[in-house]
Amino acid sequence: MTYVGSGDPSRRRTDYNPSWINELAEDVTMEGAVLKGTVRGADAVLKLLSHARTLYEYQEFVFVGEYDTNGYIEDYSSRIQGQPIANIAVIYRNDQGKVQHLVMNHRPLPAVLLFSRLMGEHFAGTPYADYFATAD
């Protein structure tokens, strides 16, 4: 299956820092398979993405780059607690060049559920916890 990556450890990056992460519009929105609902606001999106990135063991990219006038795509695989996971992130910029909307399309389902549960555990007791799955 393609989501497990190439198997080549030399292609695994642990130093990726997306260029767009510091270009969030104040009213940015984010949707994703690991989320229950739409996250709104630059502070919330940055806080969630910052922690989510720590859960990846690495990122192995198939494609990273611009598309069309206001878009950016990241297609990568990884592992979270040893479980294979992949994501196609679609980033949309507004006319001012700020990131306006993000869609995170993680797969497969068992990894999505694990990822969401780990995020929920980390943010337990905060308003962000409601976006994620619980152990129940």
Side-chain angles (χ1 to χ4, degrees), residues 101-122:
H101 186 67
L102 300 102
V103 180
M104 304 298 183
N105 298 294
H106 288 89
R107 61 198 184 281
L109 183 58
V112 168
L113 295 173
L114 172 64
F115 194 7
S116 188
R117 183 179 53 77
L118 292 171
M119 291 289 289
E121 288 172 2
H122 177 78

Side-chain angles (χ1 to χ4, degrees), residues 42-120:
D43 290 340
V45 168
L46 185 58
K47 184 174 229 78
L48 298 182
L49 287 176
S50 294
H51 181 66
R53 294 175 61 218
T54 70
L55 297 177
Y56 292 131
E57 294 175 18
Y58 57 84
Q59 288 175 291
E60 183 180 320
F61 291 93
V62 175
F63 178 82
V64 176
E66 305 285 333
Y67 82 94
D68 202 22
T69 306
N70 294 327
Y72 195 83
I73 294 177
E74 295 178 352
D75 180 357
Y76 58 89
S77 61
S78 187
R79 289 185 176 268
I80 294 178
Q81 292 190 345
Q83 198 167 129
I85 191 167
N87 184 36
I88 296 178
V90 182
I91 295 97
Y92 301 96
R93 291 188 182 95
N94 61 26
D95 292 337
Q96 291 76 44
K98 296 289 189 179
V99 174
Q100 191 64 62
H101 186 67
L102 300 102
V103 180
M104 304 298 183
N105 298 294
H106 288 89
R107 61 198 184 281
L109 183 58
V112 168
L113 295 173
L114 172 64
F115 194 7
S116 188
R117 183 179 53 77
L118 292 171
M119 291 289 289

Side-chain angles (χ1 to χ4, degrees), residues 1 16 30 34 38 48 52 62 90 99-100 111 122-123 131:
M1 292 184 198
Y16 178 66
M30 180 174 66
V34 302
T38 302
L48 298 182
V62 175
V90 182
V99 174
Q100 191 64 62
H122 177 78
F123 288 105
Y131 287 113

Side-chain angles (χ1 to χ4, degrees), residues 123-135:
F123 288 105
T126 74
Y128 302 119
D130 292 341
Y131 287 113
F132 301 104
T134 61

